[in-house]
Amino acid sequence: MQQITITTPDDWHLHFRDGDMLGETVPATARCFARAIVMPNLVPPVVNAKLANEYKGRILAARPQGSNFQPLMTLYLTNQTSTQDIIDAKQAGVVAAKLYPAGATTNSAQAVSGIEALYPVFEEMQKQGLLLLVHGEVTESHVDIFDREKIFIDQYMAKIVQAFPELKVVFEHITTSEAADFVLSSANNVAATITPQHLLLNRNDLLVGGVKPHNYCLPVLKRSTHQQALRKVVASGSKQFFLGTDSAPHAKHAKENACGCAGCYSAWSALELYTQVFDELGVLDKLEGFASFHGADFYGLPRNSSNLTLVKQSWTVPDSVTLPNGEAIVPFFAGQTVDWKIA
Ligand code: NCD
Ligand code: ZN
Ligand code: ZN
């Protein structure tokens, strides 16, 4: 196939950041996605309805002229989150709340320690119909970084899912066969997002021939058997898996650093790279479900009514993007060829 037209997709997990950066990140996503779930890990984090509303206003103001892009806002759970925060968030149109185990990832120092303490909050989310989005990694320093997702499943995920059978839970940016199997063996109120990097790469792409800081994200890339398991699950067309780029920009100097930041800025190539993966797998017919239907259906939101066409045409991701504040950022897949292009 040389061309494919799909219902306009949505991105069910990304990081826009804030301030000047929105002038870069919002147009990059609005070029092809109708909606996006906006992660709340700002500094300070988006912990209540008021902050979410203000942040939404700044995102809307950064949309390109004529764009109808809609940000879907999320709350950042902390040990101080109350059931009233959940009620207020629902009223303000917030669609989900994000659970970051403390210290798991970028700007998560203020997040949750002792997940059971949040059970009354999960109870209220279940009642209000707010989704629970989970960064599923344990953070204990003795646990090997490559095992952190797998161990999170037994220690937390399975318990949360069992305790709240009506709560919709998204296991975000899954990276292992264990996470894929967990979702497949769960009821329909459990789903997962998968990033382009975890479908395209494995840990060799991070570590062989020198450290590749621009392929470093969390959860960290795993061995190729896990990459293959994720590819298999998207190729199956299962409705429990959908597109979430986890596009997560960091300035070039912060990535190319003795202590480099985690996150891949994929907004400029993610949809094209997913298409490439589905093409490689011989399942382009499954792309629309993954990119445009499964997420909206899971969130209980209408599917988009417009279309988008991709053509099989090679192009090269730029080596660098300049931020509004003049800083450089190296996009995911920089300098590499992508097989598909938005028409
Ligand atoms: C994300 C970020 O930079 O905010 N980084 C990442 O490596 N994925 C945080 C996250 O999604 O865990
Ligand atoms: Zn995360
Ligand atoms: Zn993320």
Side-chain angles (χ1 to χ4, degrees):
M1 217 190 299
Q2 295 301 309
Q3 179 169 321
I4 180 169
T5 297
I6 58 172
T7 299
T8 305
D10 304 301
D11 185 348
W12 299 98
H13 179 136
L14 60 61
H15 304 263
F16 274 147
R17 312 303 189 203
D18 206 351
D20 271 0
M21 187 80 115
L22 295 175
E24 160 60 30
T25 54
V26 176
T29 288
R31 81 193 169 93
C32 61
F33 294 109
R35 297 170 289 198
I37 287 285
V38 180
M39 288 295 137
N41 62 331
L42 304 182
V43 190
V46 179
V47 291
N48 58 44
K50 179 171 180 287
L51 291 171
N53 260 334
E54 290 167 0
Y55 186 29
K56 183 177 186 177
R58 296 193 294 278
I59 294 167
L60 290 173
R63 290 187 301 186
Q65 277 241 307
S67 167
N68 199 24
F69 172 79
Q70 290 300 324
L72 301 170
M73 306 312 290
T74 64
L75 217 63
Y76 185 109
L77 296 171
T78 75
N79 284 114
Q80 278 71 52
T81 305
S82 66
T83 52
Q84 190 61 45
D85 287 329
I86 299 302
I87 294 165
D88 295 345
K90 177 70 184 182
Q91 284 224 317
V94 168
V95 298
K98 182 74 192 280
L99 175 67
Y100 291 101
T105 189
T106 307
N107 303 334
S108 64
Q110 297 191 50
V112 172
S113 45
I115 289 175
E116 284 86 353
L118 272 180
Y119 273 25
V121 169
F122 296 163
E123 185 82 50
E124 190 63 38
M125 287 172 63
Q126 177 171 262
K127 191 169 148 200
Q128 298 286 335
L130 233 65
L131 282 79
L132 176 65
L133 315 182
V134 183
H135 181 115
E137 289 192 289
V138 295
T139 56
E140 290 96 326
S141 57
H142 68 272
V143 180
D144 189 277
I145 189 166
F146 291 103
D147 297 333
R148 288 178 175 204
E149 182 175 281
K150 181 177 70 187
I151 291 177
F152 186 88
I153 296 170
D154 293 332
Q155 272 188 13
Y156 301 104
M157 203 67 173
K159 291 177 186 163
I160 295 171
V161 164
Q162 203 186 7
F164 303 97
E166 307 289 314
L167 179 64
K168 288 188 193 177
V169 180
V170 184
F171 202 157
E172 297 290 344
H173 47 43
I174 62 165
T175 64
T176 58
S177 60
E178 288 87 355
D181 289 343
F182 173 78
V183 172
L184 284 171
S185 67
S186 298
N188 285 339
N189 61 315
V190 181
T193 53
I194 306 185
T195 75
Q197 63 267 28
H198 293 103
L199 291 169
L200 280 161
L201 308 177
N202 59 64
R203 64 198 196 180
N204 279 9
D205 299 295
L206 177 65
L207 297 169
V208 173
V211 177
K212 312 289 191 319
H214 300 292
N215 291 342
Y216 175 56
C217 66
L218 289 170
V220 73
L221 293 169
K222 303 298 191 298
R223 63 167 65 240
S224 121
T225 47
H226 293 292
Q227 180 195 359
Q228 296 312 321
L230 299 181
R231 290 170 75 99
K232 193 172 151 205
V233 93
V234 299
S236 78
S238 164
K239 291 180 165 44
Q240 283 171 286
F241 300 86
F242 44 83
L243 185 158
T245 63
D246 197 19
S247 183
H250 294 276
K252 179 176 154 98
H253 66 81
K255 295 281 296 171
E256 298 176 7
N257 193 287
C259 184
C261 289
C264 302
Y265 182 45
S266 62
W268 287 110
S269 61
L271 182 62
E272 295 87 337
L273 289 170
Y274 282 117
T275 308
Q276 183 167 320
V277 169
F278 279 72
D279 189 15
E280 284 167 10
L281 293 169
V283 293
L284 275 174
D285 60 312
K286 301 287 198 314
L287 178 68
E288 185 175 44
F290 180 78
S292 314
F293 294 161
H294 301 168
D297 295 352
F298 189 80
Y299 272 78
L301 294 168
R303 294 178 178 182
N304 295 315
S305 50
S306 52
N307 287 331
L308 177 145
T309 297
L310 292 124
V311 290
K312 195 160 188 177
Q313 192 182 314
S314 294
W315 60 285
T316 304
V317 179
D319 290 328
S320 177
V321 171
T322 306
L323 296 175
N325 70 0
E327 274 185 4
I329 191 163
V330 177
F332 181 62
F333 237 59
Q336 296 184 71
T337 302
V338 183
D339 297 344
W340 286 83
K341 207 173 174 167
I342 293 170

